[in-house]
Amino acid sequence: MKHIKYPESIFCSECQSHVEMLRCRMMVRKNRGRTQVEFDYVCVDCGNRASAIRDWEYLQYSERDFCQSKGLVLAGTGLKLQP
Ligand SMILES: [Zn+2]
């Protein structure tokens, strides 16, 4: 049985329900030195699909875990992206 981990800080932009994370992308802003992650999600309630951007440093456990399951990891100051 596959357990869906809902993100702790991302909610549907339409109905504020829990969402299921589909994809994530790293977005590095060199100027300000902040790394952000963009999540594509689908609402489990209304089916709304959208995306949300969060700072990597402030990701909650389930969100970080999702990134790692997709091969997104930060190693030191460098960035490793595995397919
Ligand atoms: Zn919704």
Side-chain angles (χ1 to χ4, degrees):
M1 193 175 114
K2 192 186 168 205
H3 177 66
I4 296 175
K5 287 179 185 165
Y6 298 121
E8 283 123 322
S9 72
I10 304 172
F11 298 94
C12 176
S13 59
E14 297 292 323
C15 71
Q16 309 303 314
S17 286
H18 283 297
V19 298
E20 183 180 351
M21 293 175 281
L22 300 175
R23 280 178 293 277
C24 58
R25 288 180 292 279
M26 278 288 184
M27 305 171 70
V28 178
R29 298 199 172 156
K30 290 180 180 173
N31 287 341
R32 311 183 69 174
R34 282 166 62 203
T35 302
Q36 294 183 311
V37 186
E38 183 177 40
F39 293 93
D40 291 335
Y41 65 80
V42 58
C43 176
V44 296
D45 244 20
C46 72
N48 176 46
R49 285 170 182 264
S51 55
I53 296 174
R54 293 289 181 273
D55 283 352
W56 172 268
E57 289 180 32
Y58 301 115
L59 291 186
Q60 302 301 306
Y61 175 79
S62 62
E63 296 147 16
R64 206 172 276 252
D65 197 48
F66 178 80
C67 288
Q68 286 168 353
S69 77
K70 297 295 184 187
L72 281 181
V73 288
L74 271 183
T77 56
L79 187 63
K80 279 186 185 174
L81 177 56
Q82 297 160 350

